[in-house]
Amino acid sequence: QVQLVESGGGLVQAGGSLRLSCAASGRTFSMYSMGWFRQAPGKERECVAAITSGGGSTYYTDSVKGRFAISRDNAKNTVYLQMNSLKPEDTAIYYCAAVYYGNRRPLDDTWGQGTQVTVSS
């Protein structure tokens, strides 16, 4: 059973940066593609970034391209999301999950508690 813990969120002004971390349990972490998702009030959860198991390929939704960067350190069982040039519309709770890389859908319904990102103007 996989457990996920997201951290690194906070309050930041527009144009600022944050780095989110997702710490995963399980010795097979390196076998899975991982994704970052966000959910804003009144909106569905959306995948904003994904990375293959070895880190060789990445995906970004159009709204964050050029601003966000996903990476992973399999030795530490951790996935990161570097967020630069933040905008108020990035405000959401951010979650990580194992995903099918091709369609960015989660493998199952395993989520952490999420980490709140609030971008002020």
Side-chain angles (χ1 to χ4, degrees):
Q1 185 174 1
V2 176
Q3 290 185 310
L4 302 168
V5 179
E6 300 93 343
S7 62
L11 174 63
V12 65
Q13 290 185 320
S17 298
L18 287 171
R19 190 176 80 150
L20 308 184
S21 297
C22 170
S25 65
R27 56 193 174 193
T28 59
F29 170 79
S30 63
M31 296 177 61
Y32 302 108
S33 296
M34 298 293 294
W36 280 98
F37 297 75
R38 68 185 181 190
Q39 188 164 28
K43 295 188 176 182
E44 292 189 344
R45 191 170 298 185
E46 65 168 341
C47 182
V48 299
I51 188 167
T52 51
S53 60
S57 297
T58 56
Y59 160 87
Y60 302 96
T61 194
D62 286 345
S63 63
V64 309
K65 280 183 179 176
R67 300 189 298 120
F68 290 10
I70 188 171
S71 61
R72 67 191 297 161
D73 186 340
N74 286 345
K76 296 181 178 179
N77 278 14
T78 302
V79 180
Y80 305 95
L81 185 67
Q82 178 67 46
M83 305 187 296
N84 299 322
S85 301
L86 283 162
K87 304 175 180 180
E89 50 262 46
D90 295 320
T91 295
I93 303 175
Y94 284 72
Y95 303 86
C96 66
V99 302
Y100 297 104
Y101 183 77
N103 60 14
R104 277 76 63 184
R105 293 186 64 85
L107 295 181
D108 56 23
D109 200 32
T110 300
W111 304 91
Q113 83 287 352
T115 186
Q116 176 72 49
V117 172
T118 303
V119 184
S120 66
S121 59

